[in-house]
Amino acid sequence: MNMEQNTIQRNMWNTAGKAGLVLGGISTAYLFITQWLGHAELPGFVTVILTGALWIAKFGGCIWFMMYFMKSFAAENPEADNSRTFRLGMAAALLSALVYSAFSFANIAFISPELFTEQMDMLMQQMAPMMDSNTAAQMDKTMQNLPQLTFFSNLIYCFIFGTILSFALSRSIPSKDPFADYKPEDQ
C-alpha cells in the first residue's frame, strides 16, 4: 500500500467512525424516545402519530446523514472513487449497527429489564392457552437469551440495511463527468 492509499484508508475509517456514532445515535435516540412514549400517558392516536413521525424522521435522517458523510469523504479525498465510497458506507453501517445494537442490548439487559419481562409475561399469559408445555419451555429459554438475540438480530439487520443504502448511494458519489474521456478531434 502506498502513502496515498494509507491516507485514504485512514480518512475512510475516521469518517466512518463519525458516521457510525451519528447514525447509531439517531437510532438509539429513537429507541429510547419511543420507549418513553409507550409509557407516557398520552392518548393512543397521539402516540401512534408521534411514533410514526419519529420513525419517518429517523429513516430520512439516517439516509441524509449517510449521504452527507459519503459526499464529505468524496470531497475531502478527490482520488476516492465509487468503490471506496461504498466501502466507507459499509464501514459506517457496521459501526452504527454496533452502536445501536450495544445500546439495544444494554436496554434489555440492564437499563429496562423489568419492562421487557413485564411485556413477555403478558405475552405468555395471552399465548398460554395455545401452547403446550414444550413450547412454553422453549419460550422461557428464548426469553433468557433475549438480550443476545436482540443484539445479533439488530447488528445483522442494521448492517444489511446500511450496506444496501451505501451501495445505492455510492453509485453517484462521487459524481462522474460523462464527458471526461471525450476528446474532440482537431479540425
Side-chain angles (χ1 to χ4, degrees):
M1 233 187 219
N2 65 28
M3 183 87 131
E4 181 180 302
Q5 289 174 328
N6 282 338
T7 302
I8 291 174
Q9 193 75 6
R10 188 176 53 245
N11 290 345
M12 183 192 80
W13 281 105
N14 286 339
T15 303
K18 292 173 193 170
L21 286 174
V22 169
L23 296 170
I26 289 170
S27 296
T28 300
Y30 172 79
L31 170 76
F32 287 113
I33 291 169
T34 55
Q35 186 173 307
W36 176 82
L37 281 174
H39 292 298
E41 305 224 354
L42 299 172
F45 74 93
V46 173
T47 302
V48 169
I49 290 171
L50 286 174
T51 302
L54 286 170
W55 183 86
I56 291 169
K58 175 193 79 142
F59 188 75
C62 285
I63 292 171
W64 187 86
F65 275 110
M66 180 68 91
M67 188 176 359
Y68 169 79
F69 282 108
M70 291 172 85
K71 284 183 176 182
S72 294
F73 174 73
E76 292 170 9
N77 300 283
E79 59 282 346
D81 57 2
N82 300 97
S83 174
R84 288 188 175 146
T85 307
F86 172 62
R87 282 184 287 209
L88 163 80
M90 280 185 64
L94 175 64
L95 296 174
S96 68
L98 280 170
V99 168
Y100 176 69
S101 297
F103 275 103
S104 179
F105 173 85
N107 187 36
I108 293 173
F110 308 113
I111 299 170
S112 303
E114 67 285 342
L115 171 69
F116 294 96
T117 303
E118 179 183 303
Q119 289 175 346
M120 291 316 293
D121 287 344
M122 281 187 351
L123 179 65
M124 291 296 284
Q125 288 173 2
Q126 290 175 353
M127 300 294 289
M130 296 178 262
M131 292 190 290
D132 62 8
S133 60
N134 291 334
T135 306
Q138 278 303 113
M139 289 292 286
D140 280 339
K141 255 188 188 176
T142 302
M143 288 312 303
Q144 293 171 2
N145 296 322
L146 186 63
Q148 295 88 340
L149 291 170
T150 301
F151 176 84
F152 287 110
S153 62
N154 281 330
L155 182 68
I156 293 166
Y157 169 76
C158 292
F159 178 67
I160 290 171
F161 177 80
T163 299
I164 292 169
L165 177 62
S166 299
F167 178 76
L169 294 175
S170 70
R171 300 299 95 199
S172 61
I173 302 172
S175 58
K176 295 179 185 175
D177 180 3
F179 302 108
D181 294 333
Y182 176 72
K183 296 186 175 66
E185 293 179 31
D186 294 332
Q187 295 181 0

